[in-house]
Amino acid sequence: MKRVVFSLLILIGLGMALSAQTSIFDRNCVSCHRREGVSLRRTFMNALLIYSGEQNMKAGLKYFLRHPSKETSVMGEEYFRTHRLKAPTTLTDSELDAALDTYWQRYKVIGNLR
Amino acid sequence: MLRSERSTLRRFLALYAFLTLALVLVASVLYYRSEERIMLLRRKAQVADYAADQIKRLRRLHEHFPRERTYPRDPRFRSAIYDLEHVQIFSTMRNNVVDFRRDIYRHDGVIHFVKLLDSYYLGAKYLFIEIPDDRAWFWTTLGKTALGAGVALFLLALAGLYLARLFLSPMRRSIELLDRFIKDTTHELNTPLTTILANVEGLDSAGLDARQRKKLERIDLAARTVSTLYDDLKYVTLESERPARDSDIDLTELLKERLLFFETMFRARNLELHTNLHPTVMHADRRLIARLVDNLLSNAAKYNRRGGSIEVTLRPGELSIRDSGRGIPPEVLREIFDRYARFDESEGGFGLGLDIVRRIAERYGLEISLDSEPGKGTEVKVLWKDAES
């Protein structure tokens, strides 16, 4: 009995670790950005320059990913002379929220300065 | 100075002092604030340069993040960055209590200068530059403020004194007028009064019939009353400046003499006199103590009821005179020792009596206690430290 519970716990832990590795962010955002050759670090720093705070940035990006437009983009006019605008996201609301949470968590500046 | 005069003055001065202090305080605070403002403005120019330098460095760091992670530091100042949501991104400041609404302020030993960024490098909207607060400035400004306040207070105090004088002068003038009038009158009273008393005493009452003797007694009584009054007036106006001639006086003998003097008055009012006199000696001026005793006895008689009693007790350290009069209402008790205040308008007199008692008592450190029960009577006690006991 004990061994069954133990191995179950290990399995659950493994599963969670795996799903974290291949989160919605990695599956959706990272893979496409890699394909398109648009650095997520660069988009993050550009977005930070405009949105500043965490909540403000998440809300702003959420809106942009649903309704992309050159006018509201953080990439700047220069970028769009050579590149196309991205297509609106197909993710659900909660998936998008989760992806943006991961994005912020991985790229944020707060806590990473010395 | 009279007690009523004093209390008016005190009230006026209290009000004046309060208003003056409030005024000076407000002025001081305003002055201090404006000085602070000027100092901060002066510092602001310098600190704005620091901020510009720091923003350049933040921009470079923003471009190289995360390869470069070291927050830019400068020996001239400390700094901090906050995002749009007032969340701290990084800080090297000693004092992290920050105010986002002001552009420059002093707080707890430091000056904070707040600069809003146009581009939010590293997400920073607010850049705080912290420099140590100049203690020397604080103390000199405090000193200057205190000095100014001191000078202002001094000038206002002078003005207050002048105003108080102005305020009191009508009162003082009327009292001076009264004093002068009494002084003049007193002087004129002396000769006729002595004549009457000498002549009444010189009359041979044995040769008169009962009705005539009664009339003579009334004249004698009236003359003695005027004589006491005369002595009081003389004391108040002329003699109080005279140096006292203190000696050991036999109080028992003095009391007996004064009681004899008042005998006619007591008899005329049908007052029963009880005495209990123990041998007592006191070191004082005989005439002054006689004035004190006279006044107390005269009051005990004046405010007594017809057919009442007077009880005089003397023992070392204490003289008590108790009457069976109508007593003194408590609200009058407080001001009863004031000059020209009579506690009962139904009796004549100048209201000098108890003021004289008070003055003489103060001169010799005697304690006067008034114990009065309306309807029952009043007991006046004169207490002193007896050398023997």
Side-chain angles (χ1 to χ4, degrees), chain A residues 49 52 55-56 112 114, chain B residues 69 71 73 84-85 120 123:
Chain A
L49 215 48
S52 178
Q55 303 310 321
N56 193 43
N112 290 312
R114 291 188 296 248
Chain B
R69 285 165 181 265
Y71 182 81
R73 286 158 174 87
L84 177 125
E85 285 151 26
Y120 304 149

Side-chain angles (χ1 to χ4, degrees), chain B residues 57-102:
Chain B
R57 294 188 196 122
L58 288 175
R59 180 180 170 177
R60 206 172 311 129
L61 181 59
H62 179 93
E63 279 156 10
H64 295 117
F65 187 84
R67 260 179 297 120
E68 182 60 62
R69 285 165 181 265
T70 313
Y71 182 81
R73 286 158 174 87
D74 191 308
R76 296 172 299 172
F77 59 89
R78 294 158 184 274
S79 67
I81 46 177
Y82 282 77
D83 72 16
L84 177 125
E85 285 151 26
H86 296 183
V87 177
Q88 187 187 85
I89 299 168
F90 197 81
S91 169
T92 60
M93 298 203 303
R94 255 186 304 142
N95 184 341
N96 281 303
V97 181
V98 290
D99 187 341
F100 293 91
R101 282 161 308 170
R102 285 190 285 171

Side-chain angles (χ1 to χ4, degrees), chain B residues 33-53:
Chain B
R33 278 282 160 85
S34 86
E35 279 293 296
E36 187 183 36
R37 199 75 228 150
I38 290 169
M39 183 274 290
L40 286 179
L41 276 175
R42 217 174 285 141
R43 301 305 290 272
K44 202 168 148 177
Q46 169 197 8
V47 179
D49 287 345
Y50 294 171
D53 287 354

Side-chain angles (χ1 to χ4, degrees), chain B residues 298-314:
Chain B
S298 142
N299 277 343
K302 261 198 280 185
Y303 299 109
N304 217 322
R305 68 183 151 78
R306 263 188 174 280
S309 66
I310 293 181
E311 232 173 89
V312 181
T313 314
L314 174 70

Side-chain angles (χ1 to χ4, degrees), chain B residues 200-210 212-214 216-217:
Chain B
V200 169
E201 250 160 53
L203 268 178
D204 180 14
S205 60
L208 298 171
D209 63 47
Q212 302 287 354
R213 200 161 41 226
K214 195 101 191 161
L216 185 63
E217 234 170 49

